[in-house]
Amino acid sequence: KSTQCPLMQIKQAQTIDSIEQQPNITEPLRKRRQWALRRKRRKESPNNINQVKIGSEEGILWSLTKMCSSTDMEKKYALFTLSVVTHHTINASKLAQVDQSLSNLIQLLQHDNDNDNKCFVCVILGNLALENKGWKKMIIDENVVSVLIHLCKETNLDLVENASAALGNIFVSYTGDVSEVITGDKVAVLMDIISSKQTIHPLDCNQMSKIQANAAYCLASLVTCNASI
Protein backbone atom coordinates (compact mmCIF):
# COMPACT_ATOMS: atom_id res chain seq x y z
CA LYS A 1 0.00 0.00 0.00
CA SER A 2 1.38 3.41 -0.97
CA THR A 3 2.17 5.86 1.80
CA GLN A 4 2.68 8.78 -0.56
CA CYS A 5 0.51 11.84 -0.37
CA PRO A 6 -2.31 11.69 -2.99
CA LEU A 7 -1.25 15.12 -4.28
CA MET A 8 2.31 13.86 -4.79
CA GLN A 9 0.98 10.81 -6.68
CA ILE A 10 -1.04 13.07 -8.98
CA LYS A 11 2.02 15.24 -9.70
CA GLN A 12 4.11 12.17 -10.48
CA ALA A 13 1.43 10.83 -12.81
CA GLN A 14 1.26 14.19 -14.62
CA THR A 15 5.05 14.19 -14.98
CA ILE A 16 5.01 10.67 -16.49
CA ASP A 17 2.23 11.69 -18.90
CA SER A 18 4.14 14.78 -20.02
CA ILE A 19 7.26 12.68 -20.66
CA GLU A 20 5.31 10.13 -22.67
CA GLN A 21 3.74 12.87 -24.78
CA GLN A 22 7.09 14.38 -25.75
CA PRO A 23 7.80 13.89 -29.48
CA ASN A 24 10.43 11.32 -30.32
CA ILE A 25 12.93 13.28 -32.41
CA THR A 26 14.66 10.10 -33.59
CA GLU A 27 11.50 8.62 -35.09
CA PRO A 28 11.74 10.47 -38.45
CA LEU A 29 15.39 9.43 -38.74
CA ARG A 30 14.54 5.78 -38.05
CA LYS A 31 11.76 5.82 -40.63
CA ARG A 32 14.03 7.34 -43.25
CA ARG A 33 16.70 4.67 -42.62
CA GLN A 34 14.14 1.86 -42.82
CA TRP A 35 12.71 3.31 -46.03
CA ALA A 36 16.20 3.51 -47.52
CA LEU A 37 16.94 -0.11 -46.59
CA ARG A 38 13.67 -1.36 -48.05
CA ARG A 39 14.31 0.57 -51.23
CA LYS A 40 17.86 -0.74 -51.48
CA ARG A 41 16.73 -4.33 -51.09
CA ARG A 42 14.04 -3.88 -53.72
CA LYS A 43 16.58 -2.49 -56.18
CA GLU A 44 19.15 -5.20 -55.55
CA SER A 45 16.81 -8.18 -55.56
CA PRO A 46 13.98 -7.80 -58.09
CA ASN A 47 12.02 -11.02 -58.46
CA ASN A 48 11.85 -11.24 -62.24
CA ILE A 49 9.77 -14.43 -62.22
CA ASN A 50 7.04 -12.87 -60.10
CA GLN A 51 7.11 -9.68 -62.15
CA VAL A 52 6.44 -11.63 -65.34
CA LYS A 53 3.74 -13.74 -63.68
CA ILE A 54 1.88 -10.69 -62.43
CA GLY A 55 2.11 -8.97 -65.80
CA SER A 56 0.90 -12.08 -67.63
CA GLU A 57 -2.39 -12.17 -65.71
CA GLU A 58 -5.13 -11.09 -68.10
CA GLY A 59 -6.30 -7.55 -67.46
CA ILE A 60 -4.02 -6.94 -64.46
CA LEU A 61 -2.16 -3.98 -65.97
CA TRP A 62 -5.44 -2.48 -67.13
CA SER A 63 -6.91 -2.87 -63.63
CA LEU A 64 -3.87 -1.32 -61.99
CA THR A 65 -4.03 1.61 -64.40
CA LYS A 66 -7.70 2.15 -63.56
CA MET A 67 -6.93 1.99 -59.84
CA CYS A 68 -4.56 4.90 -60.31
CA SER A 69 -7.67 7.08 -60.64
CA SER A 70 -9.29 5.62 -57.52
CA THR A 71 -9.17 6.58 -53.83
CA ASP A 72 -5.93 7.64 -52.19
CA MET A 73 -4.79 4.33 -50.72
CA GLU A 74 -5.82 2.26 -53.74
CA LYS A 75 -4.04 4.73 -55.99
CA LYS A 76 -0.84 4.59 -53.92
CA TYR A 77 -0.70 0.79 -53.86
CA ALA A 78 -1.53 0.56 -57.57
CA LEU A 79 1.26 2.99 -58.43
CA PHE A 80 3.67 1.14 -56.16
CA THR A 81 2.82 -2.17 -57.88
CA LEU A 82 3.25 -0.66 -61.33
CA SER A 83 6.59 0.82 -60.29
CA VAL A 84 7.76 -2.72 -59.49
CA VAL A 85 6.24 -4.76 -62.33
CA THR A 86 7.30 -2.29 -65.05
CA HIS A 87 10.89 -2.94 -64.00
CA HIS A 88 10.63 -5.91 -66.38
CA THR A 89 10.76 -5.04 -70.08
CA ILE A 90 7.97 -7.49 -70.96
CA ASN A 91 5.51 -5.69 -68.70
CA ALA A 92 6.72 -2.31 -69.94
CA SER A 93 5.85 -3.36 -73.47
CA LYS A 94 2.45 -4.68 -72.38
CA LEU A 95 1.54 -1.44 -70.62
CA ALA A 96 1.89 0.38 -73.94
CA GLN A 97 -1.19 -1.57 -75.09
CA VAL A 98 -3.33 -0.26 -72.21
CA ASP A 99 -5.50 2.66 -73.32
CA GLN A 100 -4.63 6.02 -71.75
CA SER A 101 -1.91 4.52 -69.57
CA LEU A 102 0.53 7.31 -70.38
CA SER A 103 -2.04 10.11 -70.20
CA ASN A 104 -3.15 8.90 -66.75
CA LEU A 105 0.43 8.91 -65.52
CA ILE A 106 1.01 12.41 -66.88
CA GLN A 107 -2.13 13.68 -65.13
CA LEU A 108 -0.88 12.30 -61.83
CA LEU A 109 2.57 13.75 -62.36
CA GLN A 110 1.12 17.20 -63.00
CA HIS A 111 -1.82 17.38 -60.60
CA ASP A 112 -1.49 14.84 -57.77
CA ASN A 113 -0.77 16.47 -54.42
CA ASP A 114 1.00 13.45 -52.92
CA ASN A 115 4.77 13.50 -53.50
CA ASP A 116 4.99 9.75 -52.92
CA ASN A 117 2.59 9.17 -55.80
CA LYS A 118 4.64 11.45 -58.02
CA CYS A 119 7.77 9.52 -57.08
CA PHE A 120 6.10 6.27 -58.09
CA VAL A 121 5.06 7.80 -61.43
CA CYS A 122 8.65 8.92 -62.05
CA VAL A 123 9.88 5.38 -61.36
CA ILE A 124 7.26 3.94 -63.73
CA LEU A 125 8.18 6.36 -66.53
CA GLY A 126 11.86 5.63 -66.03
CA ASN A 127 11.21 1.88 -66.17
CA LEU A 128 9.09 2.18 -69.30
CA ALA A 129 11.64 4.29 -71.15
CA LEU A 130 14.86 2.54 -70.15
CA GLU A 131 14.99 -0.15 -72.85
CA ASN A 132 11.96 0.68 -74.98
CA LYS A 133 12.41 3.08 -77.91
CA GLY A 134 8.65 3.27 -78.43
CA TRP A 135 8.07 4.46 -74.88
CA LYS A 136 10.95 6.93 -75.15
CA LYS A 137 9.35 8.55 -78.18
CA MET A 138 5.85 8.61 -76.67
CA ILE A 139 7.10 10.17 -73.44
CA ILE A 140 9.15 12.79 -75.27
CA ASP A 141 6.33 13.57 -77.72
CA GLU A 142 3.93 14.18 -74.81
CA ASN A 143 6.33 16.77 -73.35
CA VAL A 144 6.77 14.80 -70.12
CA VAL A 145 10.37 16.02 -70.07
CA SER A 146 9.24 19.54 -69.17
CA VAL A 147 7.21 18.20 -66.25
CA LEU A 148 10.14 16.16 -64.97
CA ILE A 149 12.51 19.12 -65.31
CA HIS A 150 10.06 21.20 -63.27
CA LEU A 151 10.02 18.52 -60.55
CA CYS A 152 13.82 18.73 -60.44
CA LYS A 153 13.38 22.23 -59.01
CA GLU A 154 11.38 20.98 -56.02
CA THR A 155 12.72 20.95 -52.47
CA ASN A 156 11.62 17.36 -51.81
CA LEU A 157 14.80 15.40 -52.55
CA ASP A 158 12.99 12.08 -52.99
CA LEU A 159 10.99 13.68 -55.78
CA VAL A 160 14.07 15.28 -57.35
CA GLU A 161 15.97 11.99 -57.21
CA ASN A 162 13.24 10.02 -58.97
CA ALA A 163 12.53 12.74 -61.54
CA SER A 164 16.21 13.08 -62.44
CA ALA A 165 16.58 9.30 -62.67
CA ALA A 166 13.58 9.13 -65.02
CA LEU A 167 15.16 11.78 -67.27
CA GLY A 168 18.36 9.78 -67.47
CA ASN A 169 16.47 6.63 -68.47
CA ILE A 170 14.47 8.51 -71.09
CA PHE A 171 17.49 9.87 -72.92
CA VAL A 172 19.96 7.02 -72.56
CA SER A 173 20.51 5.40 -75.99
CA TYR A 174 17.96 7.76 -77.55
CA THR A 175 19.04 8.80 -81.04
CA GLY A 176 16.14 11.05 -82.04
CA ASP A 177 16.10 14.81 -82.35
CA VAL A 178 15.37 16.42 -78.98
CA SER A 179 16.49 19.96 -79.82
CA GLU A 180 12.97 21.30 -79.23
CA VAL A 181 12.52 19.28 -76.05
CA ILE A 182 15.79 19.97 -74.27
CA THR A 183 16.40 23.70 -74.47
CA GLY A 184 19.04 25.79 -72.75
CA ASP A 185 16.89 26.56 -69.72
CA LYS A 186 16.29 22.85 -69.08
CA VAL A 187 19.97 22.07 -69.37
CA ALA A 188 20.62 24.88 -66.89
CA VAL A 189 18.39 23.12 -64.33
CA LEU A 190 20.48 19.95 -64.65
CA MET A 191 23.69 21.94 -64.40
CA ASP A 192 22.42 23.65 -61.24
CA ILE A 193 21.77 20.24 -59.70
CA ILE A 194 25.28 19.05 -60.49
CA SER A 195 26.89 22.13 -58.95
CA SER A 196 24.54 22.32 -55.94
CA LYS A 197 25.82 21.71 -52.42
CA GLN A 198 22.44 22.18 -50.78
CA THR A 199 21.08 19.51 -48.45
CA ILE A 200 17.95 19.79 -46.38
CA HIS A 201 18.76 17.05 -43.90
CA PRO A 202 22.06 15.51 -42.75
CA LEU A 203 20.90 12.13 -44.03
CA ASP A 204 20.35 13.66 -47.48
CA CYS A 205 24.07 14.07 -48.24
CA ASN A 206 24.33 10.68 -49.90
CA GLN A 207 21.01 11.20 -51.66
CA MET A 208 22.20 14.49 -53.13
CA SER A 209 25.17 12.67 -54.63
CA LYS A 210 22.76 10.27 -56.33
CA ILE A 211 20.70 13.17 -57.67
CA GLN A 212 23.80 14.82 -59.08
CA ALA A 213 24.84 11.53 -60.67
CA ASN A 214 21.39 11.25 -62.27
CA ALA A 215 21.67 14.76 -63.71
CA ALA A 216 25.15 14.04 -65.05
CA TYR A 217 23.91 10.76 -66.54
CA CYS A 218 21.12 12.63 -68.30
CA LEU A 219 23.50 15.21 -69.76
CA ALA A 220 25.87 12.47 -70.88
CA SER A 221 22.99 10.71 -72.63
CA LEU A 222 22.02 13.93 -74.41
CA VAL A 223 25.47 14.04 -76.01
CA THR A 224 24.52 10.99 -78.10
CA CYS A 225 21.20 12.47 -79.20
CA ASN A 226 20.76 14.19 -82.53
CA ALA A 227 20.34 17.58 -80.94
CA SER A 228 22.08 20.85 -80.22
CA ILE A 229 21.85 21.84 -76.56
Side-chain angles (χ1 to χ4, degrees), residues 19-152:
I19 292 173
E20 291 177 347
Q21 292 172 5
Q22 290 296 320
N24 184 356
I25 61 174
T26 63
E27 184 66 14
L29 305 183
R30 185 184 65 82
K31 287 183 177 180
R32 283 182 68 93
R33 285 196 294 267
Q34 289 181 345
W35 175 85
L37 289 172
R38 286 197 299 272
R39 182 177 182 194
K40 184 177 180 182
R41 284 197 294 269
R42 188 168 73 247
K43 278 188 173 181
E44 290 179 349
S45 305
N47 192 316
N48 292 329
I49 295 175
N50 286 346
Q51 287 172 355
V52 174
K53 283 184 178 179
I54 293 172
S56 63
E57 292 294 326
E58 184 176 357
I60 186 66
L61 295 178
W62 180 86
S63 298
L64 289 170
T65 301
K66 293 291 289 183
M67 287 174 64
C68 291
S69 303
S70 188
T71 60
D72 290 341
M73 289 308 298
E74 288 182 353
K75 180 197 303 182
K76 190 178 295 291
Y77 283 120
L79 287 170
F80 171 73
T81 304
L82 284 172
S83 74
V84 176
V85 298
T86 55
H87 185 272
H88 203 288
T89 55
I90 292 177
N91 294 332
S93 298
K94 287 182 177 180
L95 192 61
Q97 302 169 13
V98 178
D99 290 340
Q100 298 184 331
S101 57
L102 181 57
S103 60
N104 289 341
L105 292 173
I106 295 173
Q107 285 294 316
L108 290 171
L109 201 61
Q110 290 178 316
H111 304 297
D112 199 286
N113 294 321
D114 190 317
N115 283 335
D116 288 341
N117 290 344
K118 289 183 178 181
C119 285
F120 286 138
V121 174
C122 289
V123 174
I124 294 168
L125 292 172
N127 288 343
L128 296 176
L130 181 59
E131 297 180 356
N132 192 306
K133 293 181 179 180
W135 269 117
K136 288 179 189 290
K137 188 176 187 308
M138 285 190 292
I139 290 171
I140 290 173
D141 288 348
E142 290 296 327
N143 200 29
V144 179
V145 171
S146 294
V147 183
L148 292 171
I149 288 288
H150 178 73
L151 294 180
C152 287

Side-chain angles (χ1 to χ4, degrees), residues 169-182:
N169 286 0
I170 290 168
F171 289 112
V172 65
S173 301
Y174 185 73
T175 57
D177 185 354
V178 293
S179 56
E180 295 183 3
V181 180
I182 291 290

